């Protein structure tokens, strides 16, 4: 029985081949566009989150209590080096870094600006977040008081590679100290705070400049894929301010939520189009073949088999549309993941908001599974009204209409 | 055996244009009959065929198919009865356009759950008898009217129903093809023992059948 139903469904699906193919192509194009848009939306946020994690907070950041609100170096982690070693041994921790930070004034001969000096260990930062990838110009070199400056600060202070700058701040003894630095490189992290107001120096130089004791730091950042690590650290160091990435970056969390809403709206619009497309084809196809359904009912085919045939026809159209859409979508997503979309003409505005000028797409399996479920559901829903029409059909009406 | 007792059928009941299509019909059709319902257009012969075939309902009376009362059956049960017991030959052939001749002939057998082997054997047998065995792979729209009607007959007879109901089977055929079709129908009736009921006013059928039931304005006037 199933073979005859399947044969009828398959052959009838392509009875009006151009009409069916048009709907299949419409589903495929809508779906692939939707996948592309979803990939870009998610890619924008994930890229921003990734850069923020790599350049600053990691998955977890640890500070002394009050440091984040006061930004005063008196709120520092005293045993930072030891604590870092302990954290390194927690299962699931991938990498860690120590950072020394202080707020102050960055000056050139002509201009000055508020900035943060950040002492980092280049080797650790490379493992932690591939720091060298942030280099926009010059070289990464801290020798002879070399420093790296954020791209927006460099623009603001009109600093070039080789320029001399002076950073002034209070040390831990409340003494005003200054340090002359030579700009060796300009970095761009797309982390607004760093690009607009950070100057990176060697961690030892920074510690010395701020008169910190051995092993003291302002931040320990941790990279981990294991969600349990956060709770472990929090429980182990209740006297420290342990924050997750999203707690430190609520804006990114909001943007993720907004992206989810945008993607959902796009998803429902596209699925609406798919539904209307399949519904239109199925409705017209059934109206075209109402006589045929009357005849098979007259010959003894039970309504449930006719229903199965119509559902199968709809699924054939939906599934072929999905398959083609999945292939198109995958090609688009792979292209967008590898080559991105170049928004260079809007780079200033985008970078100001922490986006990169070239946005690369993300590919998630959930794009394909959610679309599959939605298209199959749309296919099933689209035949409800046509099936109602068939249910009301009496074979005698068709037979009489023939005579 | 089919038995009709005081069967009445109306169209547009309780409307000004009401038609009493079948008036108190009492009729018995024995197994193996080769019978014609004849009469002028609108006399009720097609309606009679349709109510016997469980395609149409009646307003009063009883119709027994063997011991089963058709008028009491649900829509699904009537569909099953049509599938298992009755073969139909429609005036307009009503073949399934997307299926080949072979698939059309085997369609009812497939619905009834015959194996592919049985279907193939039966299709070859019937198509040879009806001289359409060279058209088995063709689609219906590639056949002439006569050939399509023979496919419809083949489909009706393939699953070995108890009775075949043929409504104006020769209406779209020329005299040569009509004669050929009637010869085949008689052969099927004699060889396979299938009861065949015709509704027609064709003289050719009138001269071929063993029994004629004449209707006029929904009333049996001669049997």
């Amino acid at each position: 029985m199933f073979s005859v139903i399947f044969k009828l469904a398959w052959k009838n699906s392509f009875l009006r081949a151009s009409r069916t193919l048009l709907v299949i192509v419409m589903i495929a194009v809508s779906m692939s566009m939707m996948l592309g848009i979803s990939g870009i939306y998610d890619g924008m946020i994930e890229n921003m989150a990734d850069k923020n994690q790599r350049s600053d907070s990691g998955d977890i950041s640890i500070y002394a209590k009050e440091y984040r609100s006061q930004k005063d170096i008196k709120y520092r982690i005293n045993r930072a080096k030891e604590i870092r070693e302990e954290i390194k041994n927690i299962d699931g921790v991938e990498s860690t870094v120590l950072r020394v930070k202080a707020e102050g004034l960055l000056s050139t001969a002509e201009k000055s600006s508020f900035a943060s000096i950040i002492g980092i260990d280049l080797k650790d930062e490379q493992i932690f977040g591939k720091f060298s990838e942030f280099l926009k110009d010059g070289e990464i070199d801290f020798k002879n008081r070399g420093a790296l400056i954020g791209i927006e600060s460099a623009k603001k202070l009109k600093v070039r590679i080789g320029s001399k700058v002076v950073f002034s701040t209070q040390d831990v003894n409340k003494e005003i100290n200054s340090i002359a630095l030579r700009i060796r490189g300009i970095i761009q992290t797309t982390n607004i705070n760093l690009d607009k107001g950070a100057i990176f120096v060697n961690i030892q130089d920074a510690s010395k400049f701020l008169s910190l004791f051995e092993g003291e730091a302002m931040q320990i950042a941790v990279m981990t894929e294991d969600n349990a690590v956060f709770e472990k650290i929090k429980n182990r160091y209740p006297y420290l301010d342990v924050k997750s990435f999203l707690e430190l970056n609520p804006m990114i969390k909001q943007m993720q939520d907004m992206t989810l809403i945008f993607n959902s709206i796009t998803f429902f619009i596209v699925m609406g189009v798919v539904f209307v497309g399949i519904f239109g084809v199925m409705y017209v196809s059934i109206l075209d073949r109402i006589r045929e359904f009357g005849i098979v009912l007259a010959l003894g085919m039970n309504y449930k088999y006719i229903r199965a045939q119509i559902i199968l026809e709809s699924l054939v159209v939906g599934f072929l549309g999905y398959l083609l859409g999945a292939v198109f979508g995958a090609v688009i997503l792979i292209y967008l993941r590898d080559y991105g979309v170049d928004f260079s003409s809007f780079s200033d505005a985008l970078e100001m908001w922490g986006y990169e000028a070239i946005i690369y797409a993300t590919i998630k399996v959930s794009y394909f599974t959610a679309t599959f479920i939605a298209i199959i559901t749309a296919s099933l829903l689209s035949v409800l009204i046509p099936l109602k029409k068939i249910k009301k059909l009496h074979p005698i009406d068709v037979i009489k209409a023939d005579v | 055996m089919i038995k009709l007792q005081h069967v009445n059928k109306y169209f547009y009941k309780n409307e000004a244009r009401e038609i009493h299509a079948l008036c108190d019909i009492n009729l018995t059709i024995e197994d193996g009959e080769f019978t014609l319902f004849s009469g002028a257009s609108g006399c009720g012969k097609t309606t009679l065929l349709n109510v016997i075939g469980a395609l149409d309902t009646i307003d009063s009376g009883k119709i027994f198919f063997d011991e089963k009362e058709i008028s009491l059956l649900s829509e699904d049960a009537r569909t099953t009865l049509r599938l298992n017991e009755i073969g139909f030959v429609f005036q307009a052939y009503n073949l399934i356009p997307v299926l080949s001749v072979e698939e059309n002939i085997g369609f009812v057998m497939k619905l009834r759950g015959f194996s592919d082997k049985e279907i193939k054997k039966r299709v070859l047998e019937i198509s040879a008898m009806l001289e359409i065995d060279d058209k088995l792979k063709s689609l219906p729209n590639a056949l002439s009217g006569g050939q399509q009607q023979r496919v419809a007959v083949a489909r009706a007879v393939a699953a070995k129903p108890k009775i075949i109901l043929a409504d104006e089977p020769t209406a779209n055929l020329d005299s040569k093809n009509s004669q050929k079709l009637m010869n085949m129908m008689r052969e099927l009736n004699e060889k396979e023992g299938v009861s065949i009921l015709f509704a027609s006013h064709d003289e050719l059928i009138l001269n071929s059948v063993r029994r004629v039931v004449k209707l006029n304005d929904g009333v049996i006037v001669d049997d």
Side-chain angles (χ1 to χ4, degrees):
Chain A
M1 176 59 80
F2 186 77
S3 67
V4 73
I5 292 170
F6 188 78
K7 190 176 279 179
L8 280 171
W10 182 262
K11 289 190 172 181
N12 278 309
S13 296
F14 294 96
L15 190 60
R16 302 270 184 276
S18 53
R19 190 168 65 192
T20 306
L21 287 174
L22 195 69
V23 174
I24 289 172
V25 169
M26 186 199 75
I27 295 171
V29 170
S30 316
M31 179 183 156
S32 51
M33 291 297 130
M34 186 195 73
L35 293 180
I37 290 169
S38 299
I40 284 291
Y41 277 159
D42 285 343
M44 280 169 86
I45 303 301
E46 285 194 6
N47 188 265
M48 185 195 249
D50 174 67
K51 292 282 174 69
N52 270 272
Q53 283 176 316
R54 284 165 50 207
S55 64
D56 187 11
S57 62
D59 293 303
I60 302 163
S61 265
I62 304 157
Y63 306 91
K65 297 252 180 187
E66 305 295 320
Y67 173 77
R68 285 191 313 118
S69 57
Q70 303 298 323
K71 291 280 159 62
D72 191 325
I73 61 171
K74 76 177 179 187
Y75 301 112
R76 57 193 183 271
I77 307 168
N78 296 322
R79 293 190 307 113
K81 207 171 172 182
E82 274 176 58
I83 292 170
R84 182 192 174 201
E85 290 306 314
E86 289 166 9
I87 289 171
K88 266 186 185 174
N89 294 325
I90 295 174
D91 281 345
V93 170
E94 288 165 12
S95 59
T96 58
V97 285
L98 283 186
R99 293 195 188 111
V100 165
K101 293 181 177 180
E103 308 285 305
L105 193 69
L106 184 63
S107 311
T108 62
E110 293 165 346
K111 287 191 166 192
S112 59
S113 162
F114 287 110
S116 299
I117 191 165
I118 304 176
I120 58 172
D121 183 309
L122 279 177
K123 211 169 150 190
D124 289 347
E125 292 286 349
Q126 189 61 25
I127 296 165
F128 183 82
K130 296 178 188 161
F131 189 82
S132 60
E133 287 182 4
F134 299 132
L135 185 69
K136 185 86 175 168
D137 197 10
E139 58 179 339
I140 295 180
D141 180 11
F142 287 157
K143 279 180 212 153
N144 304 319
R145 291 200 174 168
L148 305 168
I149 189 167
I151 188 164
E152 295 300 325
S153 288
K155 279 182 196 167
K156 196 172 172 185
L157 296 172
K158 293 187 177 163
V159 164
R160 293 197 184 96
I161 304 299
S163 297
K164 193 178 165 187
V165 293
V166 174
F167 185 82
S168 310
T169 190
Q170 274 188 342
D171 65 12
V172 292
N173 304 314
K174 305 280 180 191
E175 295 291 333
I176 296 283
N177 267 354
S178 293
I179 184 169
L181 301 162
R182 182 75 65 188
I183 300 301
R184 305 265 190 231
I186 294 171
I187 58 149
Q188 184 176 27
T189 62
T190 66
N191 177 333
I192 309 160
N193 294 332
L194 299 182
D195 289 353
K196 268 191 168 177
I199 184 150
F200 291 89
V201 296
N202 184 290
I203 192 164
Q204 275 87 27
D205 292 346
S207 293
K208 197 173 163 190
F209 168 60
L210 297 170
S211 305
L212 296 176
F213 289 113
E214 170 70 19
E216 288 183 326
M218 282 67 187
Q219 180 192 11
I220 304 168
V222 181
M223 281 289 193
T224 177
E225 291 286 318
D226 185 352
N227 292 333
V229 170
F230 176 70
E231 284 304 319
K232 282 181 193 169
I233 296 175
K234 206 168 180 175
N235 293 336
R236 191 182 285 191
Y237 307 104
Y239 54 91
L240 292 175
D241 182 21
V242 180
K243 293 286 175 203
S244 69
F245 170 72
L246 289 179
E247 284 175 318
L248 291 168
N249 298 279
M251 195 183 85
I252 288 181
K253 171 72 182 140
Q254 280 176 1
M255 291 174 89
Q256 279 179 340
D257 293 344
M258 267 175 63
T259 304
L260 185 68
I261 293 168
F262 283 146
N263 280 345
S264 303
I265 291 169
T266 314
F267 186 80
F268 282 111
I269 291 171
V270 170
M271 285 309 129
V273 170
V274 167
F275 172 79
V276 170
I278 301 177
F279 172 77
V281 160
M282 288 311 297
Y283 197 69
V284 172
S285 164
I286 283 164
L287 286 182
D288 274 359
R289 292 184 290 135
I290 205 89
R291 183 170 157 269
E292 185 187 318
F293 290 120
I295 297 306
V296 294
L297 272 171
L299 292 175
M301 190 173 190
N302 199 294
Y303 168 73
K304 69 180 176 188
Y305 298 122
I306 294 176
R307 182 178 58 201
Q309 183 195 327
I310 292 170
I311 289 172
L312 258 175
E313 283 179 33
S314 170
L315 288 177
V316 164
V317 175
F319 186 69
L320 289 178
Y322 169 80
L323 269 189
L324 199 61
V327 172
F328 282 172
V331 169
I332 289 173
L333 281 171
I334 290 168
Y335 176 85
L336 292 175
R337 182 195 63 189
D338 294 346
Y339 299 100
V341 186
D342 191 349
F343 289 111
S344 296
S345 41
F346 310 106
S347 61
D348 286 348
L350 285 168
E351 282 161 7
M352 197 170 77
W353 290 98
Y355 295 116
E356 281 198 280
I358 298 174
I359 295 169
Y360 297 92
T362 298
I363 304 177
K364 291 179 183 170
V365 178
S366 62
Y367 296 160
F368 296 91
T369 50
T371 319
F372 178 76
I373 293 166
I375 288 181
I376 296 304
T377 309
S379 303
L380 293 174
L381 291 177
S382 67
V383 296
L384 288 181
I385 294 173
L387 278 176
K388 237 175 160 179
K389 204 165 179 65
I390 297 290
K391 181 79 179 163
K392 286 182 192 160
L393 180 68
H394 292 291
I396 189 63
D397 300 330
V398 176
I399 309 287
K400 274 185 195 163
D402 285 344
V403 181
Chain B
M1 189 177 69
I2 296 164
K3 209 167 184 178
L4 287 82
Q5 293 175 343
H6 306 292
V7 169
N8 284 284
K9 169 76 184 172
Y10 297 87
F11 292 121
Y12 314 112
K13 204 175 179 189
N14 300 326
E15 291 178 35
R17 53 179 180 162
E18 181 180 284
I19 298 167
H20 198 172
L22 296 175
C23 311
D24 196 35
I25 300 285
N26 290 287
L27 185 70
T28 301
I29 293 152
E30 300 292 342
D31 291 343
E33 280 204 21
F34 198 60
T35 297
L36 168 70
F37 298 145
S38 77
S41 285
C43 70
K45 54 188 187 297
T46 297
T47 306
L48 184 57
L49 213 59
N50 288 339
V51 295
I52 291 172
L55 283 171
D56 210 349
T57 53
I58 54 174
D59 293 295
S60 66
K62 287 175 180 177
I63 302 174
F64 293 94
F65 199 103
D66 291 337
E67 296 304 312
K68 221 178 282 171
E69 192 183 336
I70 297 176
S71 43
L72 297 178
L73 297 177
S74 68
E75 192 64 48
D76 277 356
R78 286 145 57 89
T79 307
T80 308
L81 176 82
R82 290 197 297 271
L83 176 65
N84 293 323
E85 313 284 3
I86 307 168
F88 293 94
V89 180
F90 304 106
Q91 183 181 338
Y93 326 132
N94 288 328
L95 301 176
I96 300 165
V98 292
L99 299 183
S100 66
V101 166
E102 187 178 16
E103 289 164 335
N104 264 290
I105 297 172
F107 183 73
V108 176
M109 292 184 80
K110 198 93 183 170
L111 293 181
R112 283 180 59 181
F114 283 82
S115 70
D116 287 347
K117 202 175 159 190
E118 285 173 303
I119 294 171
K120 193 161 189 175
K121 191 179 163 205
R122 183 73 175 151
V123 167
L124 287 174
E125 193 180 302
I126 296 289
S127 59
M129 188 194 279
L130 294 170
E131 298 172 11
I132 44 171
D133 46 344
D134 57 334
K135 302 283 179 192
L136 290 179
K137 300 291 172 201
S138 307
L139 286 174
N141 61 10
L143 305 181
S144 68
Q147 286 168 331
Q148 287 192 54
Q149 193 61 296
R150 274 181 275 163
V151 176
V153 171
R155 179 179 64 186
V157 80
K160 295 188 178 172
K162 275 205 173 135
I163 186 165
I164 292 175
L165 305 178
D167 187 15
E168 304 283 6
T170 55
N172 293 325
L173 303 180
D174 57 28
S175 57
K176 195 178 155 197
N177 272 314
S178 296
Q179 185 62 62
K180 232 174 172 178
L181 184 79
M182 281 315 294
N183 291 343
M184 286 164 193
M185 295 289 258
R186 195 187 301 115
E187 201 179 331
L188 285 170
N189 171 256
E190 286 164 3
K191 272 191 181 173
E192 310 259 343
V194 184
S195 306
I196 302 180
L197 304 185
F198 297 94
S200 176
H201 41 55
D202 188 342
E203 284 288 319
L204 182 72
I205 299 179
L206 184 70
N207 296 330
S208 306
V209 295
R210 290 195 290 274
R211 180 184 176 191
V212 178
V213 177
K214 202 165 181 191
L215 288 117
N216 187 26
D217 290 337
V219 178
I220 295 176
V221 291
D222 193 15
D223 187 357

